[in-house]
Amino acid sequence: GQVSPKPFLWLEMKKTLFSIAAVLLGFLAHSQEAESLDRFAEVSVITRLDANPAYNSADSEFGFDLGNTSIYTLFEGSLSEHFSWTVANHWFHAESDGEYGWPYKYLGHSDSTNWLDYFKLDLGLGNWSLTLGKDMIATGGFEYEDWDWDIYPVFSSPLANSMSCYQWGGTLSYTTLSGMSNFSAQMTTSPFGEHPFSNGLWAYSAKWRGEYGAFSNIWSASALETAKGEYMYIFWLGQQVCLDSWIATLDLSNAYGSDEGFTSSALHGGTAALTVKYAPSDRFNASLRGSCVLSGDKETVPDHWTVGGIAEFYPLKESDDLRLHALLSYNSLLSQVTFSVGARYNLRLKVF
């Protein structure tokens, strides 16, 4: 059976929440002087439906699943230029084994995803910002830029598919005066620990995000504590070039991962992913994607590659709330061809 979180966990979480509340009171008092245009709050209900027929050439069998079919909510807002928040919940996923939906069996775990993705507060002062709460680990390149409800799991790296990337902690960031570079340092609970705070395992990350005209980069380095005093080091180099209607993105990483679970023995290796997107308008884009995964443990999982294409269409004028999408992919590890069609709709409810 499951191990219940220790009382120490709840005590530490209470201390953390009280500390956050104390900081917020100061910022809330200061935010009263902010202009009304800095104040907003919005709740979004995001639903996605996918239909994924697939063919496995290894055993000549057809299959079907619901892909990334899911239901999310997003609550975000701001009381001033100095204070904002983001809360994202994952209520349902058609292909999950119980992480989402009652009774939320992984609630209180840091080694698995659960119904709470984001619960963060952003405090800004000048070029500096401090983020506290549950946030994404600052590792990864451009692959981690999309919301979960917008991604295509068949093209995700094994690391992204297996790592519990939402963790509790804090991030300190600095943006240069030009606004072209952002540097951040982060400390969070480790995805290798069963329960946050009580296990005493931590993750440390540094990230450099740059935008220099047509060129952009997201580089990161992370040290994830797997056991007391033992770390796994992950480096990620993300590069992007934008030329008119064309966007090319290359992500390189020394990490592998495993769809069977996030374990230290299966993470050695490397990944390379290339995306070339053509977006002639805000309402339509098409992209070709390819990735190569090199395994450091070929007895567990061999090297493999994925290739395919995606088309997206936004039928509503001047809005991205409704997206229609289709994809075709081939995965050499599974010897599987997947065709997917689906839709994602964002229902926005303005609070103030």
Side-chain angles (χ1 to χ4, degrees):
Q2 291 189 27
V3 178
S4 300
K6 299 177 182 178
F8 178 73
L9 167 62
W10 304 116
L11 179 60
E12 287 300 308
M13 293 186 70
K14 282 184 178 181
K15 290 180 180 179
T16 302
L17 293 175
F18 279 125
S19 299
I20 293 175
V23 174
L24 289 182
L25 288 176
F27 273 85
L28 287 173
H30 182 72
S31 69
Q32 299 303 315
E33 302 176 3
E35 298 180 7
S36 59
L37 57 84
D38 293 319
R39 294 168 52 86
F40 83 94
E42 183 178 80
V43 175
S44 299
V45 180
I46 305 103
T47 55
R48 175 164 168 171
L49 176 63
D50 285 349
N52 292 12
Y55 174 74
N56 190 301
S57 59
D59 52 18
S60 301
E61 289 187 356
F62 288 91
F64 178 84
D65 64 56
L66 294 175
N68 203 21
T69 296
S70 50
I71 299 174
Y72 291 84
T73 56
L74 174 65
F75 177 40
E76 56 184 351
S78 172
L79 293 181
S80 77
E81 62 178 334
H82 304 292
F83 171 63
S84 61
W85 68 87
T86 302
V87 180
N89 292 94
H90 193 170
W91 299 100
F92 169 78
H93 195 287
E95 300 299 323
S96 77
D97 65 350
E99 298 99 326
Y100 320 108
W102 188 259
Y104 306 122
K105 68 178 184 179
Y106 293 119
L107 183 62
H109 281 240
S110 56
D111 59 349
S112 178
T113 53
N114 56 55
W115 71 293
L116 181 62
D117 288 344
Y118 289 99
F119 186 87
K120 64 173 184 171
L121 309 171
D122 294 297
L123 315 173
L125 187 60
N127 290 28
W128 293 90
S129 65
L130 176 65
T131 301
L132 301 172
K134 192 174 188 184
D135 195 4
M136 182 177 289
I137 294 180
T139 189
F142 287 91
E143 178 178 16
Y144 284 86
E145 290 296 279
D146 292 330
W147 293 101
D148 283 1
W149 49 81
D150 282 331
I151 66 172
Y152 301 96
V154 293
F155 289 112
S156 296
S157 67
L159 179 66
N161 274 330
S162 58
M163 184 176 73
S164 178
C165 62
Y166 300 107
Q167 299 292 331
W168 294 91
T171 305
L172 181 65
S173 302
Y174 173 77
T175 302
T176 58
L177 294 177
S178 66
M180 300 173 66
S181 299
N182 176 271
F183 303 93
S184 60
Q186 183 191 72
M187 176 180 175
T188 68
T189 52
S190 171
F192 285 97
E194 183 177 8
H195 297 297
F197 307 115
S198 64
N199 59 63
L201 301 182
W202 303 96
Y204 307 90
S205 300
K207 177 177 283 188
W208 167 33
R209 181 189 300 268
E211 296 183 4
Y212 311 103
F215 299 92
S216 302
N217 70 273
I218 301 177
W219 291 12
S220 67
S222 298
L224 311 181
E225 195 169 15
T226 59
K228 280 296 185 179
E230 299 180 9
Y231 294 89
M232 171 172 295
Y233 299 96
I234 299 177
F235 302 96
W236 209 292
L237 304 179
Q239 303 289 149
Q240 190 174 84
V241 180
C242 301
L243 298 174
D244 295 325
S245 300
W246 294 89
I247 303 173
T249 305
L250 176 64
D251 275 333
L252 302 173
S253 173
N254 71 321
Y256 176 73
S258 172
D259 288 334
E260 283 85 25
F262 187 45
T263 60
S264 58
S265 61
L267 269 166
H268 303 293
T271 61
L274 175 66
T275 300
V276 178
K277 177 186 287 189
Y278 175 62
S281 73
D282 293 335
R283 300 182 62 185
F284 173 78
N285 69 77
S287 60
L288 295 176
R289 295 193 182 188
S291 64
C292 178
V293 180
L294 303 177
S295 172
D297 184 3
K298 293 179 173 52
E299 293 184 0
T300 303
V301 182
D303 299 343
H304 61 279
W305 50 271
T306 303
V307 65
I310 302 170
E312 298 177 335
F313 176 60
Y314 299 87
L316 304 180
K317 289 185 178 182
E318 300 181 357
S319 173
D320 62 356
D321 286 342
L322 176 61
R323 185 189 74 184
L324 307 179
H325 52 262
L327 69 82
L328 181 66
S329 71
Y330 176 77
N331 183 297
S332 68
L333 177 64
L334 304 176
S335 300
Q336 181 170 289
V337 177
T338 299
F339 173 70
S340 175
V341 293
R344 187 267 294 144
Y345 182 67
N346 186 352
L347 176 62
R348 302 178 189 270
L349 305 172
K350 192 173 182 63
V351 179
F352 61 81

